[in-house]
Amino acid sequence: MSRITNFFGVLGLGCFFSVLLFFNGKYDSPSMHEMQPSAAFLEAEKNITTAVEKHDDFSSEIINKIIDKQRKIIGNDMKDYQYPNEEYSVSVRKLEDLVMEKNGTPIRSVIVTTWRSGSTFLGDILNAHPANYDHYEALLAFDIVQIRGPPLAEKALKWVKDLLNCEYQDLDEYIDYGRPHPWVFNHNTNLWKHCQAHKGVCYNHKFLSSMCKLFPFQSMKLVRLRLRIAQELLADEKLAVRIVLLVRDPRGILQSRKHRDWCPSSPDCSDPALTCADLVSDYKVAVELLKKYPTRFKVIRYEDLSLDPYKHVEELYKFYGLNLHPKTKTFLESHTKTNKGGVSSTFRNSATAPFHWRTELEFEEVEEIQQLCSTAMKYWGYVPASNATHQKEFNPVTNYTLKL
Ligand SMILES: *[C@@H]1O[C@H](CO)[C@@H](O)[C@H](O)[C@H]1NC(C)=O
Ligand SMILES: *[C@@H]1O[C@H](CO)[C@@H](O)[C@H](O)[C@H]1NC(C)=O
Ligand SMILES: *[C@@H]1O[C@H](CO)[C@@H](O)[C@H](O)[C@H]1NC(C)=O
């Protein structure tokens, strides 16, 4: 028991750096890479498209070579992983139990949230392990819309399930969208290195399916699919997916969205009434799901996560059926403590990151949101500001647990 396992070591390290970055204010603007293409991306994209026209056909021999190489890397990354056996809600004894090409079931973690709600931080924690395959935001191609029902829901769910099952053969539209929009793939660090080394290979569905089926951990975030629709993933017992609903104060969400040029033209993104109707709907579904799937569904508020990241990272490990190794725990504790003591101002700054709206928004704007969002705010434990002075000083978050 005294050895430090690779998994907990690396995941712990990943978390530590995430926490550290978090303290340094990187997460001031959650999900900053969500949508915006940079000039470099656009140029790289042009080059990839040109390359693809030359070699879209990859022989199975080349594909098998790349897959074999990745399989070895994963075997190595997982050498010291401590399998939880029957101790938690997952029963896993060896790597094969988690690997789809060996008929195993990977640990699948999905974040359901909306734009500008802090999902970058949470996503980085899930993607910290070297043997993780990150589907990132599966529904980028749907553009700036919320999917609340027909006609989009069915197609969206099919895409999400196909991806989580590593079945890319019906996903031509998803793959084609990824050609001019490389951020469909480039957040998936384990995949992207092959996309770069073999130009065009990531537009080959056989390659994508085989690659995906190697990985024992899979993560995805959904900012466009409301919980009422996403709950169907939990109903699929074979998928065995775990879902975290990430919630944020609508005043913080809307303030943060004001600065995104892709947002204002879409009411689903810019209209407080629609955003808060979604928060109300998510709440009602969340109450049901907590009863129905207590081990596979969980709710986190972005504000709570920011104020006490260590505690919530620990809870998240438990939720996924992963034990926080004692040595990793000591390591994390000592480092977060150093952080708190040594650079306490940084710590305080990061803890106020989700609350920038208090100084950035005019009271009139806050008042308008509060009027349209009173139900959502009451459900999720957010306190209204009374006036401009109050707004700058008060604590907008109640000590809150979801009432079942
Ligand atoms: C794209 O291709 C051009 C010409 O082959 C090259 O000079 C440039 O560096 C490439 N850009 C990227 C981002 O790969
Ligand atoms: C602002 O609201 C606070 C809290 O409700 C109250 O105590 C204070 O008197 C108000 N200030 C003004 C100027 O109305
Ligand atoms: C919040 O509530 C929990 C449980 O109800 C309690 O243990 C905790 O001390 C409370 N925290 C504060 C700051 O009031």
Side-chain angles (χ1 to χ4, degrees):
M1 281 303 285
S2 66
R3 69 199 166 129
I4 304 177
T5 67
N6 242 352
F7 174 75
F8 294 115
V10 175
L11 189 54
L13 210 66
C15 290
F16 166 64
F17 285 119
S18 298
V19 170
L20 199 69
L21 284 170
F22 182 73
F23 285 139
N24 286 331
K26 181 189 162 193
Y27 293 94
D28 269 23
S29 37
S31 315
M32 60 186 166
H33 301 300
E34 220 159 61
M35 288 297 306
Q36 314 83 323
S38 71
F41 270 158
L42 293 174
E43 196 194 326
E45 148 215 326
K46 226 183 288 162
N47 286 8
I48 292 169
T49 314
T50 319
V52 168
E53 279 155 15
K54 286 180 206 145
H55 350 246
D56 219 356
D57 269 344
F58 282 84
S59 68
S60 34
E61 195 190 336
I62 293 179
I63 290 180
N64 289 341
K65 256 192 199 150
I66 307 172
I67 297 294
D68 283 345
K69 194 169 144 197
Q70 184 63 52
R71 191 185 291 110
K72 284 201 190 92
I73 295 171
I74 292 172
N76 205 41
D77 287 338
M78 294 293 287
K79 233 172 17 208
D80 291 324
Y81 180 73
Q82 277 191 343
Y83 294 92
N85 293 321
E86 303 290 345
E87 212 178 318
Y88 305 95
S89 46
V90 275
S91 166
V92 176
R93 286 181 191 78
K94 53 189 187 306
L95 180 57
E96 287 74 53
D97 296 337
L98 293 173
V99 171
M100 288 183 74
E101 69 162 5
K102 302 276 165 57
N103 289 321
T105 303
I107 293 182
R108 297 184 172 103
S109 55
V110 173
I111 302 169
V112 173
T113 187
T114 184
W115 303 286
R116 317 302 296 171
S117 296
S119 60
T120 302
F121 177 49
L122 204 51
D124 283 359
I125 293 170
L126 300 182
N127 197 29
H129 189 268
N132 184 57
Y133 189 87
D134 184 12
H135 293 282
Y136 191 55
E137 161 58 285
L139 305 176
L140 284 168
F142 285 69
D143 210 359
I144 311 302
V145 296
Q146 282 301 328
I147 300 159
R148 307 180 177 100
L152 293 178
E154 195 183 337
K155 179 177 164 189
L157 272 174
K158 160 111 173 103
W159 281 28
V160 168
K161 284 191 183 185
D162 278 357
L163 286 170
L164 290 172
N165 282 314
C166 300
E167 299 294 353
Y168 284 81
Q169 69 270 18
D170 293 341
L171 290 175
D172 285 344
E173 194 185 340
Y174 169 90
I175 295 170
D176 286 343
Y177 186 82
R179 292 177 193 247
H181 305 100
W183 49 96
V184 169
F185 299 118
N186 67 15
H187 289 266
N188 189 348
T189 41
N190 281 318
L191 176 66
W192 187 244
K193 62 181 190 227
H194 300 298
C195 310
Q196 285 180 304
H198 310 275
K199 290 280 153 76
V201 80
C202 291
Y203 312 131
N204 180 308
H205 67 79
K206 282 194 192 115
F207 168 76
L208 289 170
S209 296
S210 309
M211 180 58 65
C212 176
K213 285 177 185 178
L214 297 174
F215 285 84
F217 307 106
Q218 290 193 21
S219 58
M220 179 186 289
K221 75 167 173 175
L222 298 166
V223 302
R224 292 161 172 79
L225 195 64
R226 297 325 323 139
L227 195 56
R228 191 170 298 286
I229 309 300
Q231 66 175 324
E232 210 170 291
L233 302 172
L234 288 166
D236 188 335
E237 299 281 338
K238 230 177 118 253
L239 267 185
V241 70
R242 282 174 170 72
I243 292 187
V244 170
L245 175 68
L246 178 66
V247 177
R248 187 180 182 186
D249 188 327
R251 294 164 294 189
I253 293 178
L254 290 156
Q255 185 266 323
S256 180
R257 287 182 186 170
K258 268 175 75 174
H259 306 288
R260 306 289 125 187
D261 49 13
W262 45 266
C263 184
S265 60
S266 162
D268 276 350
C269 189
S270 57
D271 182 345
L274 286 176
T275 297
C276 286
D278 287 340
L279 282 169
V280 168
S281 154
D282 285 351
Y283 176 87
K284 289 179 175 162
V285 179
V287 170
E288 294 306 313
L289 295 183
L290 282 172
K291 287 182 220 158
K292 208 166 164 188
Y293 306 103
T295 59
R296 293 200 287 123
F297 177 73
K298 185 175 169 60
V299 172
I300 299 182
R301 288 189 310 183
Y302 173 53
E303 292 80 9
D304 297 328
L305 179 65
S306 307
L307 289 171
D308 196 349
Y310 179 74
K311 176 179 155 232
H312 287 93
V313 167
E314 197 176 20
E315 282 180 9
L316 216 58
Y317 275 55
K318 284 206 189 106
F319 175 69
Y320 288 112
L322 308 168
N323 192 7
L324 200 58
H325 190 277
K327 289 205 174 175
T328 312
K329 204 170 167 176
T330 317
F331 172 85
L332 264 171
E333 262 166 9
S334 64
H335 283 77
T336 46
K337 272 190 191 127
T338 308
N339 229 316
K340 278 183 201 166
V343 269
S344 57
S345 61
T346 320
F347 175 71
R348 274 200 301 273
N349 283 343
S350 84
T352 60
F355 307 114
H356 280 159
W357 64 265
R358 286 187 309 186
T359 48
E360 299 291 316
L361 288 181
E362 299 296 332
F363 179 65
E364 288 67 37
E365 297 171 281
V366 169
E367 218 177 8
E368 192 203 334
I369 297 170
Q370 289 178 169
Q371 270 162 18
L372 293 165
C373 295
S374 59
T375 309
M377 286 172 58
K378 193 178 72 203
Y379 280 164
W380 288 114
Y382 297 115
V383 183
S386 315
N387 52 52
T389 324
H390 185 227
Q391 175 188 325
K392 297 206 166 40
E393 292 158 357
F394 83 130
N395 177 8
V397 187
T398 59
N399 184 10
Y400 167 86
T401 47
L402 202 71
K403 283 191 224 65
L404 292 189

